[in-house]
Amino acid sequence: MAHLKNKALLPGLPGQVFVEVMVNTARGRFLIFSFKAYVCTIDKLLGLSIATLSTVTRYGLHFSIISNIAPESSCYRDIHHAAFYVGVFLSMTLILAALLSAVATVRESRCLTATAFFCFALAFCGMIPALCWRYMHSTEVEDSMLDVYDLVYEEVRRNGSSSKRHELTLIHEIFLCCGKHSPLGDTAAVEHNMCHPGTERTAGQDCLQEMHGFLKKHMGFVSTLLGITIGFTVAVPVPVCSWPHRGLLDNAGKPLKCALKEIPP
């Protein structure tokens, strides 16, 4: 009893030191958890954005109509499917990494932290080749799509009763265009039969130009999203979401241990 009484009357105010350290520790944990949750939420949104863009690329009318009528010899169908699967892989990897980082932050698990770091690295290694392919083969997708339209258009022009008439009409309706400029100059009959009111080209715009403009905008979205995701993955999620935080948080209790050791018996 005397020992406890002398300890309670110490002028060093150990109780005040204890409360201050505990408040600072709780505040530090809250700031770390809040910032990591904010960062991981942004990463999940980027993953969902890539998944949405991949779904639009795979099932959007502008792309699916060309893929459905593309011949077996065309490379467009292979590029179309590959873009979808690569996008799904990258989006799922990013979302998984964000979820693992959030769970690792709550449980303070080094194993989950290492797994999340691996997922981020895997997504980064997948996005770099995808972005490089986008710029090194920027015209390959456009050329393959325009080739498909040229094949369908020329077949309908040569044979008015061709089975491709319906597909050509759908292309004109989806892209809001009508025919194309041809050096042969005999496209009036095709445009008259295959173009509906309101889809005639205006100011010299034909379907080839409309497809070019559409693909340019879409590939611009792809490049922008990949660039933002790569920069965010390098600058924030790897050092923050996957940071070995257990040691950092455990060190917050060291001032309390030192303060207690200085209390005389």
Side-chain angles (χ1 to χ4, degrees), residues 15 58 60 77 135 154 161 172 177 188:
R58 177 64 179 87
R77 189 173 297 176
Y135 286 102
E154 293 301 325
S161 61
H172 290 164
C177 60

Side-chain angles (χ1 to χ4, degrees), residues 7-8 10-19 256 259-260 263:
K7 204 169 187 179
L10 285 175
L13 299 178
Q16 182 179 356
V17 175
F18 176 81
V19 172
L256 177 61
L260 294 178
I263 300 177

Side-chain angles (χ1 to χ4, degrees), residues 108-123:
E108 301 182 10
S109 172
R110 293 183 180 272
C111 180
L112 294 177
T113 298
T115 306
F117 184 88
F118 174 78
C119 291
F120 278 121
L122 189 62

Side-chain angles (χ1 to χ4, degrees), residues 64-75:
S64 60
I65 183 63
I66 301 295
S67 179
N68 292 335
I69 65 178
E72 296 295 336
S73 58
S74 176
C75 63

Side-chain angles (χ1 to χ4, degrees), residues 53-70 76-77 80 141-142 144-146 148-149 167 170-177 207 209-219 221:
L53 189 60
S54 302
T55 304
V56 172
T57 303
R58 177 64 179 87
Y59 298 103
L61 292 178
H62 294 79
F63 296 100
S64 60
I65 183 63
I66 301 295
S67 179
N68 292 335
I69 65 178
Y76 175 81
R77 189 173 297 176
H80 187 216
V141 179
E142 178 182 347
S144 61
M145 176 179 281
L146 298 182
V148 172
Y149 178 79
E167 285 81 358
L170 287 178
I171 293 176
H172 290 164
E173 291 179 354
I174 292 173
F175 284 93
L176 299 179
C177 60
C207 284
Q209 293 176 343
E210 291 293 330
M211 290 180 178
H212 170 75
F214 172 79
L215 281 177
K216 184 177 180 180
K217 292 180 181 179
H218 185 79
M219 298 305 288
F221 287 139

Side-chain angles (χ1 to χ4, degrees), residues 32-136:
I32 292 174
F33 290 169
S34 299
F35 185 63
K36 287 186 176 183
Y38 171 76
V39 169
C40 294
T41 300
I42 295 179
D43 187 72
K44 285 185 284 187
L45 291 177
L46 290 174
L48 291 175
S49 300
I50 294 178
T52 303
L53 189 60
S54 302
T55 304
V56 172
T57 303
R58 177 64 179 87
Y59 298 103
L61 292 178
H62 294 79
F63 296 100
S64 60
I65 183 63
I66 301 295
S67 179
N68 292 335
I69 65 178
E72 296 295 336
S73 58
S74 176
C75 63
Y76 175 81
R77 189 173 297 176
D78 296 333
I79 296 175
H80 187 216
H81 292 168
F84 171 71
Y85 291 121
V86 170
V88 170
F89 168 76
L90 293 177
S91 62
M92 293 298 103
T93 305
L94 285 173
I95 294 174
L96 178 62
L99 292 176
L100 289 175
S101 298
V103 176
T105 302
V106 174
R107 296 189 176 183
E108 301 182 10
S109 172
R110 293 183 180 272
C111 180
L112 294 177
T113 298
T115 306
F117 184 88
F118 174 78
C119 291
F120 278 121
L122 189 62
F124 176 80
C125 294
M127 286 185 288
I128 291 297
L131 190 61
C132 292
W133 188 92
R134 154 71 181 93
Y135 286 102
M136 295 179 63

